[in-house]
mmCIF file of all heavy atoms in Angstrom:
data_model
loop_
_atom_site.group_PDB
_atom_site.id
_atom_site.type_symbol
_atom_site.label_atom_id
_atom_site.label_comp_id
_atom_site.label_asym_id
_atom_site.label_seq_id
_atom_site.Cartn_x
_atom_site.Cartn_y
_atom_site.Cartn_z
ATOM 1 N N ASP A 387 -20.443 0.651 1.903
ATOM 2 C CA ASP A 387 -20.928 0.121 3.144
ATOM 3 C C ASP A 387 -19.743 -0.233 3.964
ATOM 4 O O ASP A 387 -18.890 -1.214 3.741
ATOM 5 C CB ASP A 387 -21.655 -1.233 2.876
ATOM 6 C CG ASP A 387 -22.260 -1.875 4.228
ATOM 7 O OD1 ASP A 387 -22.017 -1.317 5.247
ATOM 8 O OD2 ASP A 387 -22.760 -2.871 4.033
ATOM 9 N N LEU A 388 -19.441 0.552 5.109
ATOM 10 C CA LEU A 388 -18.300 0.442 5.864
ATOM 11 C C LEU A 388 -18.476 -0.133 7.293
ATOM 12 O O LEU A 388 -17.666 -0.176 8.108
ATOM 13 C CB LEU A 388 -17.575 1.815 6.089
ATOM 14 C CG LEU A 388 -17.091 2.463 4.725
ATOM 15 C CD1 LEU A 388 -16.539 3.841 4.838
ATOM 16 C CD2 LEU A 388 -16.190 1.536 3.887
ATOM 17 N N GLY A 389 -19.686 -0.592 7.544
ATOM 18 C CA GLY A 389 -20.047 -1.132 8.717
ATOM 19 C C GLY A 389 -20.690 -0.061 9.710
ATOM 20 O O GLY A 389 -20.610 1.086 9.456
ATOM 21 N N ALA A 390 -21.210 -0.772 10.854
ATOM 22 C CA ALA A 390 -22.019 0.141 11.652
ATOM 23 C C ALA A 390 -21.369 1.276 12.298
ATOM 24 O O ALA A 390 -21.884 2.345 12.485
ATOM 25 C CB ALA A 390 -22.578 -0.953 12.873
ATOM 26 N N ALA A 391 -20.025 1.106 12.573
ATOM 27 C CA ALA A 391 -19.404 2.205 13.277
ATOM 28 C C ALA A 391 -19.219 3.472 12.454
ATOM 29 O O ALA A 391 -19.094 4.535 12.859
ATOM 30 C CB ALA A 391 -17.957 1.690 13.721
ATOM 31 N N LEU A 392 -19.334 3.207 11.087
ATOM 32 C CA LEU A 392 -19.109 4.412 10.187
ATOM 33 C C LEU A 392 -20.261 4.734 9.361
ATOM 34 O O LEU A 392 -20.226 5.651 8.461
ATOM 35 C CB LEU A 392 -17.818 4.114 9.244
ATOM 36 C CG LEU A 392 -16.539 3.841 10.032
ATOM 37 C CD1 LEU A 392 -15.526 3.463 8.874
ATOM 38 C CD2 LEU A 392 -16.053 5.052 10.815
ATOM 39 N N ASP A 393 -21.326 4.103 9.518
ATOM 40 C CA ASP A 393 -22.495 4.081 8.707
ATOM 41 C C ASP A 393 -23.096 5.513 8.703
ATOM 42 O O ASP A 393 -23.749 5.981 7.659
ATOM 43 C CB ASP A 393 -23.734 3.119 9.117
ATOM 44 C CG ASP A 393 -23.385 1.817 8.353
ATOM 45 O OD1 ASP A 393 -22.623 1.761 7.404
ATOM 46 O OD2 ASP A 393 -24.258 0.863 8.796
ATOM 47 N N ALA A 394 -23.056 6.262 9.886
ATOM 48 C CA ALA A 394 -23.552 7.566 9.973
ATOM 49 C C ALA A 394 -22.605 8.620 9.356
ATOM 50 O O ALA A 394 -23.016 9.858 9.487
ATOM 51 C CB ALA A 394 -23.930 7.870 11.334
ATOM 52 N N GLY A 395 -21.443 8.169 8.941
ATOM 53 C CA GLY A 395 -20.548 9.203 8.439
ATOM 54 C C GLY A 395 -20.875 9.646 6.865
ATOM 55 O O GLY A 395 -21.802 9.052 6.272
ATOM 56 N N SER A 396 -20.163 10.619 6.402
ATOM 57 C CA SER A 396 -20.588 11.147 5.075
ATOM 58 C C SER A 396 -19.550 10.530 4.089
ATOM 59 O O SER A 396 -18.843 11.220 3.301
ATOM 60 C CB SER A 396 -20.270 12.715 5.175
ATOM 61 O OG SER A 396 -21.040 13.223 6.212
ATOM 62 N N TRP A 397 -19.620 9.161 3.833
ATOM 63 C CA TRP A 397 -18.816 8.502 2.938
ATOM 64 C C TRP A 397 -19.417 8.453 1.596
ATOM 65 O O TRP A 397 -20.564 8.491 1.363
ATOM 66 C CB TRP A 397 -18.633 7.077 3.505
ATOM 67 C CG TRP A 397 -17.971 7.073 4.885
ATOM 68 C CD1 TRP A 397 -18.631 7.033 6.076
ATOM 69 C CD2 TRP A 397 -16.653 7.060 5.123
ATOM 70 N NE1 TRP A 397 -17.726 7.093 7.069
ATOM 71 C CE2 TRP A 397 -16.464 7.137 6.537
ATOM 72 C CE3 TRP A 397 -15.467 7.121 4.274
ATOM 73 C CZ2 TRP A 397 -15.210 7.125 7.201
ATOM 74 C CZ3 TRP A 397 -14.231 7.211 5.027
ATOM 75 C CH2 TRP A 397 -14.006 7.208 6.413
ATOM 76 N N ILE A 398 -18.411 8.322 0.613
ATOM 77 C CA ILE A 398 -18.820 8.229 -0.763
ATOM 78 C C ILE A 398 -17.652 7.446 -1.425
ATOM 79 O O ILE A 398 -16.472 7.461 -1.074
ATOM 80 C CB ILE A 398 -18.846 9.688 -1.423
ATOM 81 C CG1 ILE A 398 -19.788 9.583 -2.728
ATOM 82 C CG2 ILE A 398 -17.619 10.323 -1.743
ATOM 83 C CD1 ILE A 398 -20.231 10.840 -3.117
ATOM 84 N N GLU A 399 -17.983 6.752 -2.591
ATOM 85 C CA GLU A 399 -16.927 5.974 -3.224
ATOM 86 C C GLU A 399 -16.071 6.869 -4.262
ATOM 87 O O GLU A 399 -16.766 7.673 -4.914
ATOM 88 C CB GLU A 399 -17.556 4.938 -4.123
ATOM 89 C CG GLU A 399 -18.248 3.791 -3.217
ATOM 90 C CD GLU A 399 -18.952 2.812 -4.042
ATOM 91 O OE1 GLU A 399 -19.357 3.078 -5.200
ATOM 92 O OE2 GLU A 399 -19.123 1.631 -3.561
ATOM 93 N N PRO A 400 -14.816 6.685 -4.393
ATOM 94 C CA PRO A 400 -14.021 7.446 -5.313
ATOM 95 C C PRO A 400 -14.558 6.896 -6.774
ATOM 96 O O PRO A 400 -14.730 5.716 -6.981
ATOM 97 C CB PRO A 400 -12.655 6.750 -5.037
ATOM 98 C CG PRO A 400 -12.508 6.450 -3.699
ATOM 99 C CD PRO A 400 -13.934 5.866 -3.403
ATOM 100 N N THR A 401 -14.748 7.860 -7.562
ATOM 101 C CA THR A 401 -15.581 7.723 -8.781
ATOM 102 C C THR A 401 -14.893 8.257 -9.901
ATOM 103 O O THR A 401 -14.373 9.445 -9.951
ATOM 104 C CB THR A 401 -17.064 8.290 -8.541
ATOM 105 O OG1 THR A 401 -17.609 7.635 -7.565
ATOM 106 C CG2 THR A 401 -17.774 8.211 -9.817
ATOM 107 N N LEU A 402 -14.953 7.552 -11.058
ATOM 108 C CA LEU A 402 -14.446 7.884 -12.330
ATOM 109 C C LEU A 402 -15.459 7.709 -13.484
ATOM 110 O O LEU A 402 -16.096 6.680 -13.431
ATOM 111 C CB LEU A 402 -13.114 7.124 -12.724
ATOM 112 C CG LEU A 402 -11.949 7.257 -11.830
ATOM 113 C CD1 LEU A 402 -10.920 6.251 -12.032
ATOM 114 C CD2 LEU A 402 -11.457 8.772 -11.920
ATOM 115 N N TRP A 403 -15.549 8.752 -14.382
ATOM 116 C CA TRP A 403 -16.423 8.618 -15.527
ATOM 117 C C TRP A 403 -15.737 8.655 -16.867
ATOM 118 O O TRP A 403 -14.727 9.378 -16.941
ATOM 119 C CB TRP A 403 -17.527 9.721 -15.520
ATOM 120 C CG TRP A 403 -18.312 9.847 -14.320
ATOM 121 C CD1 TRP A 403 -19.131 8.837 -13.653
ATOM 122 C CD2 TRP A 403 -18.553 11.023 -13.520
ATOM 123 N NE1 TRP A 403 -19.782 9.374 -12.679
ATOM 124 C CE2 TRP A 403 -19.440 10.644 -12.389
ATOM 125 C CE3 TRP A 403 -17.988 12.322 -13.475
ATOM 126 C CZ2 TRP A 403 -19.934 11.603 -11.503
ATOM 127 C CZ3 TRP A 403 -18.501 13.296 -12.553
ATOM 128 C CH2 TRP A 403 -19.306 12.845 -11.625
ATOM 129 N N THR A 404 -16.253 8.030 -17.823
ATOM 130 C CA THR A 404 -15.853 8.272 -19.224
ATOM 131 C C THR A 404 -17.206 8.493 -19.993
ATOM 132 O O THR A 404 -18.287 8.396 -19.351
ATOM 133 C CB THR A 404 -15.243 7.109 -19.784
ATOM 134 O OG1 THR A 404 -16.079 5.907 -19.815
ATOM 135 C CG2 THR A 404 -13.838 6.703 -19.318
ATOM 136 N N GLY A 405 -17.125 9.037 -21.213
ATOM 137 C CA GLY A 405 -18.273 9.281 -22.091
ATOM 138 C C GLY A 405 -18.915 10.701 -21.863
ATOM 139 O O GLY A 405 -19.930 11.007 -22.434
ATOM 140 N N LEU A 406 -18.243 11.542 -21.080
ATOM 141 C CA LEU A 406 -18.785 12.889 -20.853
ATOM 142 C C LEU A 406 -17.975 13.896 -21.828
ATOM 143 O O LEU A 406 -16.843 13.550 -22.299
ATOM 144 C CB LEU A 406 -18.710 13.328 -19.456
ATOM 145 C CG LEU A 406 -19.583 12.738 -18.436
ATOM 146 C CD1 LEU A 406 -19.203 13.137 -17.014
ATOM 147 C CD2 LEU A 406 -20.979 12.847 -18.819
ATOM 148 N N THR A 407 -18.462 15.031 -22.070
ATOM 149 C CA THR A 407 -17.864 16.100 -22.845
ATOM 150 C C THR A 407 -17.751 17.366 -22.028
ATOM 151 O O THR A 407 -18.325 17.419 -20.901
ATOM 152 C CB THR A 407 -18.530 16.313 -24.120
ATOM 153 O OG1 THR A 407 -19.715 17.073 -23.890
ATOM 154 C CG2 THR A 407 -18.876 14.985 -24.833
ATOM 155 N N ASN A 408 -17.045 18.346 -22.524
ATOM 156 C CA ASN A 408 -16.988 19.608 -21.884
ATOM 157 C C ASN A 408 -18.363 20.423 -21.830
ATOM 158 O O ASN A 408 -18.551 21.352 -21.062
ATOM 159 C CB ASN A 408 -15.960 20.573 -22.668
ATOM 160 C CG ASN A 408 -14.491 20.370 -21.996
ATOM 161 O OD1 ASN A 408 -14.237 19.312 -21.541
ATOM 162 N ND2 ASN A 408 -13.739 21.412 -22.154
ATOM 163 N N ALA A 409 -19.268 19.914 -22.527
ATOM 164 C CA ALA A 409 -20.655 20.517 -22.510
ATOM 165 C C ALA A 409 -21.485 19.996 -21.475
ATOM 166 O O ALA A 409 -22.496 20.622 -20.970
ATOM 167 C CB ALA A 409 -21.389 20.238 -23.792
ATOM 168 N N ASP A 410 -21.069 19.058 -20.660
ATOM 169 C CA ASP A 410 -21.895 18.384 -19.556
ATOM 170 C C ASP A 410 -21.544 19.103 -18.192
ATOM 171 O O ASP A 410 -20.507 19.485 -18.011
ATOM 172 C CB ASP A 410 -21.541 16.874 -19.507
ATOM 173 C CG ASP A 410 -22.031 16.184 -20.736
ATOM 174 O OD1 ASP A 410 -23.103 16.430 -21.184
ATOM 175 O OD2 ASP A 410 -21.226 15.361 -21.284
ATOM 176 N N ARG A 411 -22.632 19.237 -17.470
ATOM 177 C CA ARG A 411 -22.529 19.949 -16.192
ATOM 178 C C ARG A 411 -21.415 19.344 -15.161
ATOM 179 O O ARG A 411 -20.630 20.054 -14.593
ATOM 180 C CB ARG A 411 -23.808 20.144 -15.477
ATOM 181 C CG ARG A 411 -24.681 21.184 -15.995
ATOM 182 C CD ARG A 411 -26.063 21.250 -15.343
ATOM 183 N NE ARG A 411 -25.843 21.500 -13.864
ATOM 184 C CZ ARG A 411 -26.699 21.498 -12.851
ATOM 185 N NH1 ARG A 411 -27.984 21.091 -13.240
ATOM 186 N NH2 ARG A 411 -26.456 21.859 -11.690
ATOM 187 N N PRO A 412 -21.317 18.024 -15.098
ATOM 188 C CA PRO A 412 -20.390 17.564 -14.222
ATOM 189 C C PRO A 412 -18.880 17.743 -14.637
ATOM 190 O O PRO A 412 -17.867 17.647 -13.918
ATOM 191 C CB PRO A 412 -20.599 16.004 -14.328
ATOM 192 C CG PRO A 412 -22.042 15.783 -14.692
ATOM 193 C CD PRO A 412 -22.265 17.019 -15.671
ATOM 194 N N VAL A 413 -18.742 18.178 -15.930
ATOM 195 C CA VAL A 413 -17.380 18.613 -16.535
ATOM 196 C C VAL A 413 -17.129 20.106 -16.323
ATOM 197 O O VAL A 413 -16.051 20.579 -16.280
ATOM 198 C CB VAL A 413 -17.178 18.152 -17.847
ATOM 199 C CG1 VAL A 413 -15.790 18.408 -18.397
ATOM 200 C CG2 VAL A 413 -17.464 16.615 -17.901
ATOM 201 N N ARG A 414 -18.231 20.824 -16.121
ATOM 202 C CA ARG A 414 -18.128 22.303 -16.297
ATOM 203 C C ARG A 414 -18.119 22.811 -14.783
ATOM 204 O O ARG A 414 -17.511 23.967 -14.458
ATOM 205 C CB ARG A 414 -19.218 22.916 -17.001
ATOM 206 C CG ARG A 414 -19.290 22.609 -18.490
ATOM 207 C CD ARG A 414 -19.839 23.704 -19.295
ATOM 208 N NE ARG A 414 -18.830 24.787 -19.317
ATOM 209 C CZ ARG A 414 -17.698 24.885 -20.066
ATOM 210 N NH1 ARG A 414 -17.379 23.835 -20.860
ATOM 211 N NH2 ARG A 414 -17.066 26.005 -20.032
ATOM 212 N N GLU A 415 -18.819 22.163 -13.854
ATOM 213 C CA GLU A 415 -19.029 22.729 -12.397
ATOM 214 C C GLU A 415 -18.208 22.087 -11.530
ATOM 215 O O GLU A 415 -17.982 20.871 -11.593
ATOM 216 C CB GLU A 415 -20.481 22.676 -12.141
ATOM 217 C CG GLU A 415 -21.388 23.370 -13.171
ATOM 218 C CD GLU A 415 -22.925 23.233 -12.779
ATOM 219 O OE1 GLU A 415 -23.240 22.645 -11.800
ATOM 220 O OE2 GLU A 415 -23.814 23.511 -13.644
ATOM 221 N N GLU A 416 -17.671 22.912 -10.521
ATOM 222 C CA GLU A 416 -16.885 22.262 -9.451
ATOM 223 C C GLU A 416 -17.720 21.310 -8.648
ATOM 224 O O GLU A 416 -18.787 21.769 -8.008
ATOM 225 C CB GLU A 416 -16.238 23.338 -8.592
ATOM 226 C CG GLU A 416 -15.263 22.801 -7.538
ATOM 227 C CD GLU A 416 -14.729 23.947 -6.640
ATOM 228 O OE1 GLU A 416 -15.470 24.945 -6.352
ATOM 229 O OE2 GLU A 416 -13.541 23.827 -6.293
ATOM 230 N N ILE A 417 -17.173 20.156 -8.348
ATOM 231 C CA ILE A 417 -17.951 19.240 -7.587
ATOM 232 C C ILE A 417 -17.436 19.044 -6.270
ATOM 233 O O ILE A 417 -18.038 18.918 -5.179
ATOM 234 C CB ILE A 417 -17.925 17.790 -8.275
ATOM 235 C CG1 ILE A 417 -18.581 17.837 -9.676
ATOM 236 C CG2 ILE A 417 -18.635 16.666 -7.342
ATOM 237 C CD1 ILE A 417 -18.536 16.611 -10.541
ATOM 238 N N PHE A 418 -15.937 19.033 -6.088
ATOM 239 C CA PHE A 418 -15.327 19.163 -4.844
ATOM 240 C C PHE A 418 -15.509 17.727 -4.081
ATOM 241 O O PHE A 418 -15.888 17.690 -2.874
ATOM 242 C CB PHE A 418 -15.886 20.258 -3.907
ATOM 243 C CG PHE A 418 -14.602 20.895 -3.124
ATOM 244 C CD1 PHE A 418 -13.564 21.439 -3.810
ATOM 245 C CD2 PHE A 418 -14.636 20.935 -1.849
ATOM 246 C CE1 PHE A 418 -12.558 22.083 -3.055
ATOM 247 C CE2 PHE A 418 -13.605 21.362 -1.046
ATOM 248 C CZ PHE A 418 -12.524 22.036 -1.645
ATOM 249 N N GLY A 419 -15.342 16.657 -4.881
ATOM 250 C CA GLY A 419 -15.372 15.410 -4.261
ATOM 251 C C GLY A 419 -14.329 14.422 -4.999
ATOM 252 O O GLY A 419 -13.649 14.893 -5.907
#
Side-chain angles (χ1 to χ4, degrees):
D387 181 1
L388 300 177
L392 300 175
D393 271 353
S396 305
W397 298 92
I398 200 165
E399 292 176 337
T401 297
L402 298 169
W403 300 308
T404 60
L406 296 174
T407 73
N408 272 23
D410 297 313
R411 283 182 60 190
V413 183
R414 302 212 64 81
E415 300 174 12
E416 184 181 37
I417 300 173
F418 218 60

